[in-house]
């Protein structure tokens, strides 16, 4: 037997409550007992007829089943779309962390933009205004932490949201100056592991070694003045 939901139960209660209401109304208007019985019988018959059409009819339950299936499919579709959106955001977040964001151009093509000095294209020739080189140890002028340069851009290459957050109107000019990707020295206890900062905020220091879990991935050793790049990194920055 089909399950009667809350709406159906409420309707039954309303219909049943009409019986005593009708009785008291008839009493108020002074009808005799025979008339009250007839009124009550008609009310019961009408209520039962309405109930059977709404809840005991095969057509009614067929319509309810179709509606339920339709809502279920819509719900699954919404979940799928939400899942796609979450995955897209997650993928873009991961790509930004690694310095890349893919922007779809056509149905089957994508263009890769390199961010935060992690581009793998060969940086040659090296502009004369790029003062520092990959492998040099730096100190941040304002915050005081040390680190090592692992990449550079001729100007800031980052998502627009990042640029707007880090460069308000008063610092707009900094976006067009050289920027460097830094592995921050863990010995500083700074809290962050990497940084992407403009040239004017760093200065070079010699004789200081940097401790970072990714050092061996980028460098093979330290000669006292700068770190020696791994072959793969040297190919990207042949003039550093």
């Amino acid at each position: 037997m089909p399950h009667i939901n809350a709406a159906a139960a409420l309707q039954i209660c309303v219909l049943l409550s009409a019986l005593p209401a009708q009785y008291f109304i008839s009493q108020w208007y002074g009808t005799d007992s025979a008339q009250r019985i007839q009124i009550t019988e008609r009310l019961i018959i009408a209520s039962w007829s309405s109930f059977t059409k709404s809840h005991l009819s095969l057509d009614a339950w067929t319509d309810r089943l179709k509606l339920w299936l339709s809502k279920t499919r819509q719900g699954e579709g919404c979940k799928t779309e939400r899942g796609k959106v979450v995955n897209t955001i997650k993928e873009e977040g991961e790509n930004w962390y690694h310095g890349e964001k893919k922007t779809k151009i056509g149905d089957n093509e994508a263009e890769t933009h390199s961010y935060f000095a992690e581009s793998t294209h060969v940086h040659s020739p090296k502009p004369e205004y790029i003062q520092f080189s990959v492998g040099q140890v730096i100190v941040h002028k304002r915050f005081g932490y040390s680190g090592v340069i692992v990449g550079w851009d001729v100007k800031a290459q980052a998502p627009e949201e990042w640029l707007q957050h880090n460069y308000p109107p008063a610092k707009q000019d900094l976006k067009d100056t050289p920027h460097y990707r830094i592995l921050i020295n863990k010995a500083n206890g700074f809290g962050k592991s990497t940084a992407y900062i403009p040239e004017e905020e760093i200065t070079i220091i010699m004789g200081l070694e940097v401790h970072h879990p990714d050092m061996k991935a980028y460098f093979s050793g330290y000669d006292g003045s700068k770190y020696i790049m791994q072959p793969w990194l040297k190919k990207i920055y042949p003039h550093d």
Side-chain angles (χ1 to χ4, degrees), residues 97 116 140 143 145-147 162 165-166 181-197 201 210-213:
Y97 177 81
F116 306 120
H140 195 286
F143 300 133
Y145 63 77
S146 59
W162 187 93
H165 176 74
N166 287 273
R181 183 174 181 85
I182 309 297
L183 296 184
I184 298 176
N185 194 348
K186 287 186 64 179
N188 300 144
F190 188 66
K192 293 174 59 178
S193 61
T194 62
Y196 186 65
I197 49 183
E201 293 187 352
V210 174
H211 301 280
H212 190 283

Side-chain angles (χ1 to χ4, degrees), residues 42-61:
R42 287 198 298 268
L43 180 60
I44 292 174
I45 293 172
S47 300
W48 178 252
S49 177
S50 175
F51 175 76
T52 54
K53 288 179 181 180
S54 300
H55 302 288
L56 300 182
S57 168
L58 179 61
D59 292 337
W61 282 102

